[in-house]
Amino acid sequence: MNSTSSVSTSYPWYYRPLEWLLLGLAHLPLSVLYVLGRGIYVLMAYVVRYRKRVVLENLRNSFPEKSAAEIAQLARQFYWHFAQVMVETIKLAAMPAAELKKRVLFRNPEVLERHFAAGRTVLGLSSHAGNWEWVLTSGAVWLSAHADGVYKPLSNPFFEHFLYRLRTRTGAGLIPMRDTLRDMLQRKGEVRVVSMLSDQAAGPEDRPYWTTFMHQEAGFYTSNERLASRFRCPVVYVSIRRMRRGYYEILLTELYDGDAPLEPNTFPITAAFVQQLEHDIRLYPADYLWTHRRWKHKRQG
């Protein structure tokens, strides 16, 4: 399997005008797109009230020390952040690699590069914080080794095609989530980074690691532990933080060096990931994806 192979371009003809519109918008300057973003913000926050109940519930439970007014303000800040991420993602369809490299600064790429120099595959654990769509695409520009991202294919054929195109246009590859183990087996020993968004809500059937996250019990996927243990891959936490509008910095923190064997049925990597993620959310609370139903599952038994 080649993770960089193109996804099918077959989708209904009536999506063509939408594709032309999105590609046309992508060629506009970001300053103009942020004006459009203001309209999206108003629409989501005040007209459609997109998942407003979920957003407010998540914020109240995560920050019980904040007043109702502070929660409402944080929700507004989140919707503005989300609107910016949306137009920045559209811009990827036409943004030159050189411009992307200027807008996303890797502060300490040597954390990854030393493992690449040793001929190793590295697992990069990230989250829906900052602009998560710019992490993989900028990594493909910044790093000396190949960058692949594990993703969940969309059921809508047009949006699957369009987002696949955005995410791979700077040279990154994509691996469907269900094919991750097969890909790791077939490309064992390849020098690359495999990026995983590791903050999705894991259900009981996923053998989750349960812990307290933002004052709430949450289950986390443990596939990164199993992959790191089986293939002795170093694991790095990837933090993306907004410096100012349209500019981000990426900070890398090593969670596991890939050398010491991991004890079975222990989850030190996932526990360290959760700790790092909560630290980032508390520093930049408006920049996390609060529309996501992160705490929808409950521990069984």
Side-chain angles (χ1 to χ4, degrees):
M1 181 187 66
N2 183 356
S3 66
T4 60
S5 60
S6 176
V7 72
S8 172
T9 58
S10 176
Y11 52 86
W13 64 268
Y14 48 78
Y15 281 106
R16 287 293 182 184
L18 177 58
E19 181 177 28
W20 297 333
L21 172 63
L22 293 174
L23 291 176
L25 290 172
H27 284 85
L28 295 175
L30 263 176
S31 58
V32 176
L33 288 176
Y34 286 129
V35 176
L36 173 63
R38 279 291 177 187
I40 295 173
Y41 158 70
V42 171
L43 187 66
M44 286 195 301
Y46 299 105
V47 181
V48 178
R49 296 171 61 86
Y50 176 66
R51 293 197 174 186
K52 195 67 172 284
R53 182 179 298 177
V54 174
V55 171
L56 292 176
E57 180 181 359
N58 283 343
L59 289 173
R60 290 190 199 103
N61 291 340
S62 298
F63 301 98
E65 74 280 4
K66 292 187 181 295
S67 67
E70 289 173 320
I71 293 295
Q73 181 183 22
L74 193 51
R76 291 191 294 270
Q77 292 171 344
F78 158 71
Y79 278 114
W80 172 225
H81 159 73
F82 194 22
Q84 291 178 79
V85 170
M86 292 175 70
V87 297
E88 288 168 357
T89 300
I90 293 172
K91 183 63 182 175
L92 273 180
M95 183 182 289
E99 181 181 354
L100 183 62
K101 190 172 183 178
K102 291 179 182 178
R103 290 184 173 275
V104 183
L105 177 63
F106 274 67
R107 292 290 186 187
N108 54 343
E110 65 275 6
V111 173
L112 287 170
E113 294 294 347
R114 70 182 185 88
H115 292 301
F116 297 155
R120 307 179 82 170
T121 295
V122 183
L123 299 183
L125 305 187
S126 191
S127 68
H128 291 87
N131 187 331
W132 55 92
E133 291 292 351
W134 281 14
V135 173
L136 178 66
T137 49
S138 61
V141 175
W142 265 93
L143 302 174
S144 64
H146 187 68
D148 287 319
V150 176
Y151 84 115
K152 185 176 182 179
L154 301 176
S155 58
N156 182 291
F158 168 71
F159 286 106
E160 168 66 4
H161 158 74
F162 190 75
L163 286 174
Y164 191 100
R165 176 178 178 177
L166 296 186
R167 292 165 174 167
T168 60
R169 66 181 300 272
T170 60
L174 288 180
I175 306 166
M177 187 182 298
R178 64 180 178 275
D179 296 333
T180 305
L181 179 58
R182 186 195 315 171
D183 181 88
M184 293 288 290
L185 286 168
Q186 292 180 351
R187 301 168 67 188
K188 184 178 180 180
E190 185 173 324
V191 180
R192 58 174 175 154
V193 59
V194 178
S195 177
M196 308 170 74
L197 287 172
S198 300
D199 61 333
Q200 298 97 329
E205 70 281 1
D206 299 309
R207 295 182 291 169
Y209 165 73
W210 288 95
T211 187
T212 300
F213 172 57
M214 300 301 296
H215 295 289
Q216 301 158 83
E217 193 171 50
F220 284 81
Y221 286 101
T222 58
S223 55
N224 57 77
E225 302 271 354
R226 294 191 292 274
L227 292 173
S229 179
R230 179 166 183 171
F231 298 100
R232 299 300 283 270
C233 295
V235 181
V236 170
Y237 174 72
V238 183
S239 172
I240 180 166
R241 303 172 180 178
R242 187 192 306 275
M243 295 186 289
R244 62 185 189 277
R245 192 175 69 177
Y247 290 87
Y248 297 85
E249 65 176 0
I250 287 181
L251 300 173
L252 305 172
T253 304
E254 186 175 282
L255 304 182
Y256 170 58
D257 62 10
D259 295 329
L262 294 171
E263 293 293 330
N265 300 316
T266 64
F267 306 98
I269 297 172
T270 307
F273 168 79
V274 173
Q275 184 178 36
Q276 291 285 340
L277 176 57
E278 181 159 334
H279 174 264
D280 278 358
I281 292 173
R282 294 196 178 280
L283 280 179
Y284 307 99
D287 291 357
Y288 190 61
L289 187 62
W290 295 108
T291 55
H292 181 40
R293 295 185 63 202
R294 181 66 193 78
W295 294 272
K296 63 182 177 180
H297 297 298
K298 303 300 180 185
R299 189 198 296 254
Q300 300 298 307

